[in-house]
Amino acid sequence: MRGLLLVGLVSACSPKYDWRTVHDDAGRYAIEFPAKPNTAARDVPLGEPFGLLRMTMQSARSDETFAIGYIDLPGANDTSSAEAEQFGREQLALLKARLQAALLQNLNNATATAPQMVVIKEADGKKRSGEMWQAQSTDKRVVRAYFADKQGRVYQVAVIGAAHTGDAGNMHFDEVASQFLNSFVLD
């Protein structure tokens, strides 16, 4: 009996999530992952006028998938004139919309909620605005994602998990998604 109790206590103490802060100097961000993330890069087809753009990503899995990726907009740092700066803002908005559409398509063409404005923290204490939305697919997966940009780079931060019908399942997803998304800090 004591052996079963001890096994029960040890298993109750072992964390399901091993949260760790990951700093990505090349990506200019920090974020908390629930496990050691994998890193990958791939070319993403984003249509005209972008064509293929390289997305660098980190992801980790537990019961949910946690991922962050970023894409640099070619020529976005050319702010030598007001026209170039306006062009850069328009291209960033279009790139974010294309990334959102691609994520939804990967989730069996799920429909997202209307974007909500969120505050994204910066390492120097400043804050910037970003967007957050959530979607549920027909195969009962749910995604919550942040989209932000800084200096010609677009970030996509997402958590994908199973849609739960019970309150406990929804609270769990809300808790881990909030911890991951709210830990995102831009350098």
Side-chain angles (χ1 to χ4, degrees), residues 18 34 37 44 58 72 74 80 97 104 122 131 141 162 164-165 176 181:
D18 183 13
V44 179
Q58 289 188 312
D72 290 318
S80 57
L104 291 174
E122 294 190 36
E131 295 177 6
R141 289 183 297 159
H164 297 283
T165 54
V176 296
L181 295 170

Side-chain angles (χ1 to χ4, degrees), residues 49-50 73 83-97:
F50 305 115
L73 183 63
E83 293 84 18
E85 189 174 326
Q86 178 63 29
F87 175 76
R89 280 195 301 271
E90 290 170 3
Q91 295 294 9
L92 285 169
L94 180 58
L95 182 55
K96 280 194 263 187

Side-chain angles (χ1 to χ4, degrees), residues 41-109:
R42 66 182 177 106
D43 291 332
V44 179
L46 294 165
E48 290 301 322
F50 305 115
L52 288 174
L53 291 180
R54 171 74 45 162
M55 176 178 254
T56 304
M57 341 168 225
Q58 289 188 312
S59 64
R61 288 191 61 109
S62 59
D63 288 345
E64 300 80 17
T65 299
F66 300 82
I68 180 170
Y70 63 88
I71 292 179
D72 290 318
L73 183 63
N77 290 323
D78 178 16
T79 57
S80 57
S81 69
E83 293 84 18
E85 189 174 326
Q86 178 63 29
F87 175 76
R89 280 195 301 271
E90 290 170 3
Q91 295 294 9
L92 285 169
L94 180 58
L95 182 55
K96 280 194 263 187
R98 297 272 174 85
L99 286 171
Q100 291 169 354
L103 183 56
L104 291 174
Q105 185 176 14
N106 288 337
L107 288 168
N108 294 336
N109 293 311

Side-chain angles (χ1 to χ4, degrees), residues 10-32:
V10 170
S11 66
C13 293
S14 62
K16 184 176 187 178
Y17 299 93
D18 183 13
W19 293 99
R20 68 212 41 224
T21 302
V22 174
H23 296 271
D24 187 308
D25 293 335
R28 300 187 309 261
Y29 66 84
I31 195 162
E32 288 182 16

Side-chain angles (χ1 to χ4, degrees), residues 64 134 142 144 159-161 169-177:
E64 300 80 17
Q134 185 165 304
V142 63
R144 187 173 300 160
V159 180
I160 303 169
N170 289 335
M171 286 175 36
H172 167 76
F173 181 82
D174 288 344
E175 182 181 310
V176 296

